[in-house]
Amino acid sequence: MSLMGGGSIGGGVIVPSAKSEPPEPSLERLGSPPPPPPVAQEPQLEAPAPNSVVAVVAEAGTKGSDLDTGVDKDVLCPICMQIIKDAFLTACGHNFCYMCIATHLQNKNDCPCCAQYLTTSQIFPNFLLNKMLMKASACQVAKGASPVEQIRLAFQQGCDVSVKELDSLLTLLKDKKKRMEQEEAESNLQIMHDFLHCLRRQKLEELNEIQNDLQYIKEDINAVERHRIELHRARERCSVKLRMVGDDFNVKTSLMDKRSIMNIPDVHERKDTCSGSDSQVGISVARKRRVHTQFNDLQECYLQKRRHWAKQVQKQEERESNPVKREGYHAGLKDFQSLLTSFTRYSRLRAIAGLRNGDIFHSADIISSIEFDRDDELFATAGVSRRIKVFEFASVVNEQADVQCPVVEMSTRSKLSCLSWNKYTKSHIASSDYEGIVTVWDVTTRQSVMEYEEHEKRAWSLDFSRTDPTMLVKIWCTRQEASVLNIDMKANICSVKYNPGSSFHVAVGSADHHIHYYDLRNISQPLHIFSGHRKAVSYVKFLSNHELASASTDSTLRLWDVKQNIPLRTFRGHVNEKNFVGLTVNSEYIACGSETNEVFVYHKAISRPAAWHGFNTDATEGEEPGSYFTSAVCWKNDSPTMITANSRGTIKVLVLAE
């Protein structure tokens, strides 16, 4: 189809029309590459009609560019639907991007808009449309530019400005610059002023706290000195009484008897006194050395306790109408003295007994769990040997034999991961194994009482409730065959422990690096999630109703307050990156194993180890010292004695010593 005279609308722009030419056989129809764009010389066109390109451009200029409010469809390429770049006009009167139409003509020889026959020799650069688009684009950039950018663009485009106008403009700019500099200086001074006020307030608070601490220390020094004077006077009174008794004895005996009886022993007594005083001095020096070694932790602990109790006393005085000032030790000082005494009492772990748990039929000797019974008379061991062995503690300590026969031995179908004695029924002990089976055993009959098989995978941990000994986690009741309650967790569970003061609260150590603390009356979500460990939480144990200890394979132990939901302390010193090395607690101390084949003991108020002991005699010839690790630990209830075991099957009884 051809159009004559008036022209056609291509891409929304009116252009002069051109006659179509008959097809010519050429390489272009075979997909040859298009020729480069013609040299940019404006063609000599006839005077356009009123509705030609010039008219349209003028019309667009009078209406205002549609690029400001939205993209005008008339300036979009019909192929890529973007604003035309490098506009080319076809013989049939349509406008396209050069690259778009050239690429199209490599595949087809027709116009994308009207399907008229078209070759690369029939497309021409549209200089007028390109100029219009460049102006519209420049207008849009100018309108969106900042005032400074607009001024710069105006000068770049050769805007005519007189010297007087420039002077006026420079004066305005200088005033603006001066005003902005003043505002910036005021803002900086205001920031500095606020900072200094904040710093002053913070330092005053610190000074006030230091002054209060100094007052506490002064009061406690006076209290300690008074107490020392009282002790000295009491000792003097005791010495006077002893001398009076000695004088009475001397009067009643003869001189001969006095020489024979008193003189010779007197030398030995003097020696004993000297040796006793020397040993006391040595112990005192050692305890002072331990205090200076852990001075920063002890200082923090003292101030924390002193401030806490000072607040409690202040609240009590506010409630009382006539507060009475009490003489003597402050409650905070008493609390700290108890801690200091217990911390400095021990400095090492001493082995008092040991035995080998392995046998000739089982080469795998790793002991994964050790537990004392209710009365601390028996302890049981379990591990990969598929046997629960029960030993009498007194026999192990008193009969020094390398191999001890267990008083009870029970075989299981699978490797064992954990044991838990019933704190009410002395003869009942529960075990969990690698197949997920939880079994309750009667030690006296050596038979299983109940078996629970609801776990689909390995059961890592279990625990009897202290307040309701019939309850066993995964919440089982020993009177029922099916589980009572089930807590679904996304990550693997490594350890569970009942709160000793409640049958409803359970702490769960998980592979997601967190401890989840649940109330079993509402298991839809935990009461609190304790975060801080960087790797899986392998053990959780309660020191008291509100203190919870956790162990992780990030080589740290952590202490938490489950009432206030806050972290209390982090303990470092042992090595634990991949194995279960055991965790045990009593009211004051936390003990754990290490992958260096050692046992570490921490006081709950001090972040560094108080004592440690190594299984250094276990490695035989040809074995590396680090090939074994401590695998289980257990305190004897509220005593300085513990039982430990390692991955070679060696069991040791250790006691804290000075």
Side-chain angles (χ1 to χ4, degrees), residues 29 67 111 155 194 218 257 269 446 484 496 502 652:
R29 302 191 63 176
L67 293 173
C111 174
F155 282 116
D194 293 343
K218 183 179 178 181
D257 293 336
E269 286 175 8
R446 307 185 185 187
V484 178
V496 291
S502 170
K652 283 190 177 183

Side-chain angles (χ1 to χ4, degrees), residues 213-229 302 306 328-330 333:
D213 292 342
L214 286 173
Q215 183 63 31
Y216 299 152
I217 294 169
K218 183 179 178 181
E219 293 174 2
D220 292 344
I221 288 174
N222 293 334
V224 170
E225 287 178 348
R226 286 195 302 269
H227 192 56
R228 289 183 67 187
I229 292 171
Y302 164 77
R306 198 62 173 81
Y329 268 26
H330 192 277
L333 182 60

